[in-house]
Amino acid sequence: MVFSRTDSRGKITSGNTVFQRVSQFEWDELLEKPHNIIRHPDMPRAVFWLLWDRIRKGLPVGAYVKNRSKDGRYYWVFAIVTPIEDGYLSVRLKPSSALFAGVQQEYRTLLQAEKDEELTPARSAEVLLKRLNELGFRGYEIFMTKALISEMLARDKVLEIEPQRTISLFQDLVLASEKLLETAAAVAGTYHDFRFVPLNLIIQAGQLGKDGAAIGRISNNYSLLAEEIRLALGGFLDAARQVADTIREGAFLFATSHMQEEIANAFAKEGKASEIDHANEMEHLNRQRALYSAKALTNLENLVSIQQELGAFAEGMDEIKRLTSGLAAVRIMGKIEAGRLSSSVLNDLIIDLDSFQQILSEGLTEIQALNFDLSKRSGDLLEAHAAETRGTRALAA
């Protein structure tokens, strides 16, 4: 693992011996030099634009970076950069996950687009974010979280060491929360796709005069129930998004604190290079790992409230399913009335309502199952963290 520290302008102030050895520069060639002394020309500018955009806002960030050694050779890292007092701290590991291969190809494609289309860094970042969305990532934050956890678990496998159970459980929890959010969004989108069907039924009923009065009332009742369901799903979707974001942030903070702890322990055992103030660097590393451990712990404590939120989700789903049952009854009455009127147009619209009903019912059933799974996984994570904490205290004693 590699670490380096820079000032607020990005000039290197220190690092560990691994950083110096891999970069192949001597310390007097690194210290007080811009960190881009090791930047490789194969790197898309979009990545650094996103990186600086986050850390200038005081936010941690993770990114795959291709670096260049003094002799022109290259090496890849997955870097976690966190703001510290008067600068930034970067902790890096060698990537080896399945995700990494795809990232290299995406970087090549983006770099070519930057050259061919003369993209500004900001515009290139927009292209990158759009591409991540196409690949199934809700945003850069979820991408960097999944990447960090994937790389940590892949590294444990390469080193043949037992992975930390909390990291594995966080990976499962992130995936489960994203799946819940994705399904909730799809179900909410179903209403949007079929929102004009009841209105069209009312229009058709009006054209039938007195004969269509009953179907008109039925359609109006259907519209009212469907709108209630839409509002309920909208509230659920907002809450699911908040839960997913809280879990994602907790996973990133926890994994980051774990990496910072490892690098601090490794640096404490290093020989003291004359060019580096070892005691000062240990102070920075210890302060940073304490800060992110505290942030991760706070977020873990939020899982308790998340579990309560998931319980409220279950109650909300019961209410939506109750409304859906009423929707089904109204739809059946409409089907009977449309059959009595022998209208092919009305029959086609009722068929559309059947499709809406089926998609809605199946989606709600899946959401309930996902919600139960997410609640169980969050409970497992809290138990695992408590067990690891007890084990750490026992070792210390």
Side-chain angles (χ1 to χ4, degrees):
M1 292 183 68
V2 176
F3 98 85
S4 59
R5 186 167 62 85
T6 68
D7 62 19
S8 58
R9 298 168 298 169
K11 289 188 175 182
I12 300 168
T13 54
S14 67
N16 64 346
T17 57
V18 183
F19 171 53
Q20 185 269 321
R21 185 179 72 246
V22 174
S23 70
Q24 297 184 345
F25 288 96
E26 297 300 326
W27 278 119
D28 60 0
E29 298 174 294
L30 288 171
L31 296 177
E32 300 304 320
K33 301 298 190 300
H35 205 280
N36 61 14
I37 192 175
I38 59 171
R39 181 180 295 188
H40 199 284
D42 286 352
M43 277 296 296
R45 293 186 295 169
V47 178
F48 294 109
W49 191 94
L50 287 169
L51 188 150
W52 279 101
D53 181 61
R54 284 187 63 85
I55 59 176
R56 281 173 178 155
K57 294 174 182 175
L59 301 172
V61 65
Y64 287 97
V65 180
K66 185 177 185 179
N67 288 328
R68 180 167 60 178
S69 302
K70 183 179 179 180
D71 67 357
R73 288 187 291 179
Y74 67 87
Y75 61 98
W76 280 93
V77 296
F78 187 81
I80 301 298
V81 185
T82 55
I84 60 173
E85 185 179 357
D86 299 325
Y88 308 100
L89 178 72
S90 174
V91 179
R92 310 186 281 281
L93 54 76
K94 179 180 178 180
S96 57
S97 74
L99 183 61
F100 175 48
V103 167
Q104 294 176 74
Q105 179 56 52
E106 293 297 332
Y107 276 17
R108 285 191 288 268
T109 301
L110 183 57
L111 183 67
Q112 193 61 49
E114 288 183 346
K115 294 176 180 177
D116 294 345
E117 302 172 35
E118 299 181 351
L119 300 176
T120 64
R123 175 59 187 141
S124 182
E126 291 176 5
V127 173
L128 175 57
L129 292 175
K130 181 181 178 182
R131 179 57 180 156
L132 286 175
N133 189 257
E134 292 170 352
L135 293 171
F137 297 98
R138 192 163 47 92
Y140 191 79
E141 291 84 356
I142 191 65
F143 166 75
M144 70 181 191
T145 300
K146 288 183 176 181
L148 172 57
I149 293 178
S150 296
E151 294 304 338
M152 291 180 68
L153 293 175
R155 177 173 175 265
D156 288 344
K157 186 174 182 180
V158 169
L159 296 176
E160 297 182 342
I161 61 177
E162 188 70 25
Q164 190 171 3
R165 187 159 182 261
T166 9
I167 297 292
S168 299
L169 287 171
F170 251 128
Q171 183 182 52
D172 294 342
L173 197 59
V174 168
L175 293 175
S177 63
E178 287 295 310
K179 180 61 177 175
L180 176 66
L181 182 57
E182 178 187 337
T183 305
V187 174
T190 299
Y191 176 89
H192 184 270
D193 294 339
F194 289 90
R195 67 192 185 284
F196 293 124
V197 176
L199 177 61
N200 289 335
L201 273 171
I202 293 171
I203 292 171
Q204 289 297 318
Q207 292 175 355
L208 291 171
K210 291 182 179 179
D211 289 339
I215 198 78
R217 287 192 298 272
I218 290 169
S219 301
N220 187 60
N221 289 335
Y222 193 96
S223 294
L224 293 173
L225 278 171
E227 177 63 11
E228 282 193 63
I229 291 173
R230 183 190 71 81
L231 292 173
L233 281 171
F236 175 82
L237 185 58
D238 290 341
R241 189 177 292 110
Q242 184 177 354
V243 165
D245 286 343
T246 301
I247 290 171
R248 189 270 314 156
E249 182 183 8
F252 189 81
L253 289 172
F254 190 87
T256 296
S257 68
H258 184 74
M259 282 185 62
Q260 289 174 341
E261 181 176 5
E262 183 174 346
I263 197 70
N265 291 337
F267 186 70
K269 299 174 184 176
E270 276 195 4
K272 299 180 180 180
S274 58
E275 299 86 345
I276 301 297
D277 186 340
H278 197 270
N280 183 53
E281 289 314 303
M282 279 305 307
E283 184 178 340
H284 278 290
L285 287 170
N286 284 329
R287 188 184 305 126
Q288 197 72 347
R289 71 171 172 179
L291 173 64
Y292 275 82
S293 292
K295 287 183 176 182
L297 182 59
T298 298
N299 198 280
L300 274 172
E301 290 169 351
N302 288 341
L303 279 181
V304 176
S305 62
I306 283 177
Q307 283 196 302
Q308 294 172 349
E309 188 79 18
L310 293 174
F313 284 177
E315 294 177 7
M317 281 298 104
D318 288 339
E319 174 62 16
I320 294 175
K321 293 198 89 170
R322 184 188 67 77
L323 291 170
T324 305
S325 298
L327 207 64
V330 174
R331 176 181 55 83
I332 291 170
M333 287 189 286
K335 195 170 188 177
I336 293 170
E337 189 63 20
R340 184 184 69 79
L341 295 172
S342 300
S343 169
S344 60
V345 176
L346 288 176
N347 282 329
D348 289 342
L349 290 171
I350 291 297
I351 289 172
D352 286 340
L353 291 184
D354 284 341
S355 299
F356 171 63
Q357 185 80 36
Q358 182 176 354
I359 295 171
L360 186 61
S361 296
E362 290 175 354
L364 292 175
T365 299
E366 184 177 0
I367 286 174
Q368 283 190 308
L370 289 169
N371 189 61
F372 176 80
D373 179 59
L374 190 59
S375 180
K376 181 179 183 303
R377 289 182 188 279
S378 63
D380 291 343
L381 176 60
L382 288 170
E383 289 180 10
H385 180 259
E388 288 176 359
T389 301
R390 287 194 298 271
T392 301
R393 288 172 180 166
L395 286 173

